[in-house]
């Protein structure tokens, strides 16, 4: 009798152990939510099939202004990790969602909250006091930093490390995935640099100040913006000044994000003989741009064609 109970207990214990092992091995992928598609793409690179990842903002949306939806709360409620761009890019829409989600894991400062800007090289950091006269957005430095592949690499490493902390059993897997991503990115960078080399120093105008990291990385010279200040819509007087500047500087390229109206860019292009390039600032801006590599492939393709056509 005694032995019988012991063997039943042993069977139960073994069974319980197997159930526990199975659930930790096969199931419970880490649930990752990102503010933007670019962060989702980078998380997917290093997370592989050990995570499920979804982005709140769509790739064709202005990440400064995303309309909150109830479905976002559901995503955040079950998230193990939230990755944000930071530098107040999402300040107009994300903080209330995070609070309302009631998920303690992803609150600011909690282990499941990751601000990707801490890994990236940040440009345009204000040196003096910040005032509203400087514009409505970008008070802490430029938040469009993911458009430099070197920052993509740094962010991917930061995410791999964080995933390894949250899921220690798979930490080696995430680091291996990062090394693989790193190698593929290095090869792609060689290709991109070679394509852009003939156009080093070319002058461009941008609608919004989204491109300082991209321009620095690929040797372009951003001489002005259609927005008088980041987040401030174009004004007639600023547009006239910009047209004068572009004529003096012989600037023939206007880069516009997909979520801005083309009226002002088109009229400036008519005045200056410039070409409007509707580039993509984010993965998913067009259907075929499904990952971080294809984003640069797409934009550099558009740009080099426009440079060739306008030289
Ligand atoms: Zn911005």
């Amino acid at each position: 009798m005694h032995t019988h109970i012991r063997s039943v207990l042993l069977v139960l214990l073994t069974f319980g152990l197997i159930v526990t092992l199975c659930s930790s091995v096969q199931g419970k992928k880490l649930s990752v939510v990102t503010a933007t598609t670019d962060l989702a793409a980078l998380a997917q690179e290093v997370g592989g099939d050990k995570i499920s990842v979804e982005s709140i903002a769509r790739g064709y949306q202005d990440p400064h202004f995303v309309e909150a939806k109830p479905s976002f709360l559901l995503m955040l409620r079950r998230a193990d990790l939230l990755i944000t761009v930071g530098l107040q890019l999402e300040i107009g829409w994300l903080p209330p969602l995070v609070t309302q989600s009631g998920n303690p894991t992803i609150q600011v400062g909690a282990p499941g909250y990751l601000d990707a800007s801490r890994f990236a090289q940040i440009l345009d950091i204000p040196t003096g006091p910040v005032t509203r006269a400087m514009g409505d957005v970008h008070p802490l430095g430029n938040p469009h930093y993911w458009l430099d592949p070197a920052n993509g690499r740094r962010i991917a490493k930061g995410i791999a490390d964080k995933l390894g902390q949250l899921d220690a059993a798979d930490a080696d897997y995430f680091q291996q995935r990062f090394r693989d991503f790193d190698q593929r990115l290095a090869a792609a960078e060689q290709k991109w640099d070679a394509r852009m080399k003939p156009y080093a120093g070319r002058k461009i105008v941008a609608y919004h100040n989204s491109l300082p990291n991209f321009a620095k990385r690929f040797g372009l010279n951003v001489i002005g913006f259609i927005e008088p200040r980041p987040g401030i819509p174009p004004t007639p007087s600023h547009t006239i000044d910009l047209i004068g500047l572009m004529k003096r500087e012989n600037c023939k390229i206007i880069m516009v994000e997909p979520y801005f109206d083309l009226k002002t860019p088109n009229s400036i292009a008519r005045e200056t003989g410039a070409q409007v390039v509707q580039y993509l600032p984010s993965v998913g801006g067009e259907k075929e741009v499904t990952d971080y590599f294809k984003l640069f492939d797409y934009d550099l393709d558009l740009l080099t064609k426009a440079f060739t056509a306008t030289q």
Side-chain angles (χ1 to χ4, degrees):
M1 190 61 193
H2 211 70
T3 13
H4 181 65
I5 291 174
R6 275 178 57 183
S7 56
V8 167
L9 272 176
L10 193 64
V11 167
L12 283 175
L13 276 173
T14 313
F15 183 69
L17 189 64
I18 289 168
V19 168
T20 314
L21 279 173
C22 284
S23 60
S24 68
V25 169
Q26 45 150 245
K28 214 36 191 102
K29 288 183 179 189
L30 279 178
S31 172
V32 179
V33 173
T34 63
T36 64
T37 52
D38 311 288
L39 295 176
L42 293 169
Q44 191 65 70
E45 293 286 354
V46 294
D49 56 13
K50 305 288 185 191
I51 68 166
S52 66
V53 58
E54 46 189 347
S55 167
I56 296 179
R58 301 277 161 198
Y60 47 79
Q61 284 182 308
D62 185 343
H64 288 291
F65 307 101
V66 174
E67 204 185 327
K69 288 186 197 160
S71 59
F72 299 162
L73 279 181
L74 295 177
M75 285 162 66
L76 290 169
R77 208 161 276 163
R78 56 173 187 255
D80 300 307
L81 174 63
L82 169 66
I83 311 174
T84 69
V85 174
L87 302 176
Q88 298 199 2
L89 179 84
E90 309 99 336
I91 194 164
W93 53 275
L94 189 56
L97 287 172
V98 172
T99 309
Q100 285 165 39
S101 77
N103 180 351
T105 310
I106 57 158
Q107 301 299 313
V108 179
Y113 181 94
L114 188 66
D115 177 342
S117 70
R118 48 184 274 218
F119 306 112
Q121 182 188 58
I122 306 302
L123 302 177
D124 304 339
I125 296 175
T127 46
V130 175
T131 69
R132 276 187 66 84
M134 297 157 78
D136 274 359
V137 293
H138 304 184
L140 304 176
N142 196 287
H144 303 275
Y145 55 77
W146 64 87
L147 286 171
D148 174 352
N151 274 343
R153 175 181 287 107
R154 294 183 185 109
I155 297 162
K157 179 70 168 83
I159 296 174
D161 291 347
K162 171 54 83 175
L163 291 174
Q165 286 163 20
L166 297 178
D167 173 8
D170 292 316
D172 289 344
Y173 171 85
F174 299 130
Q175 292 302 325
Q176 180 54 48
R177 298 262 326 175
F178 169 71
R179 286 191 290 275
D180 179 65
F181 171 71
D182 178 28
Q183 283 182 7
R184 285 181 290 123
L185 189 62
E189 282 182 285
Q190 279 195 0
K191 184 184 73 179
W192 295 330
D193 286 339
R195 287 194 72 179
M196 289 300 284
K197 205 175 170 203
Y199 311 104
R202 284 294 184 99
K203 289 166 186 166
I204 60 173
V205 155
Y207 194 108
H208 178 78
N209 187 6
S210 304
L211 291 165
N213 297 84
F214 181 88
K216 188 178 178 201
R217 178 65 180 78
F218 294 109
L220 304 175
N221 185 2
V222 184
I223 63 163
F225 307 99
I226 291 182
E227 289 180 335
R229 293 182 297 281
I232 308 293
T235 62
S237 66
H238 177 74
T239 299
I240 289 167
D241 289 347
L242 186 62
I243 289 170
L245 177 72
M246 288 177 69
K247 284 179 173 168
R248 283 196 305 279
E249 300 279 338
N250 194 30
C251 173
K252 296 290 183 195
I253 300 290
I254 305 171
M255 292 184 71
V256 183
E257 294 81 353
Y259 36 80
F260 288 119
D261 195 289
L262 285 175
K263 199 172 136 242
T264 305
N266 282 341
S267 75
I268 296 173
R270 277 194 300 275
E271 288 289 326
T272 58
Q275 200 172 105
V276 173
V277 178
Q278 265 194 302
Y279 81 103
L280 298 181
S282 284
V283 173
E286 289 286 349
K287 221 179 264 167
E288 73 260 36
V289 181
T290 50
D291 65 30
Y292 191 68
F293 295 90
K294 292 193 176 107
L295 179 64
F296 291 97
D297 286 340
Y298 184 95
D299 285 336
L300 295 181
D301 194 44
L302 280 183
L303 249 188
T304 50
K305 277 179 185 148
F307 282 139
T308 310
T310 55
Q311 61 195 344

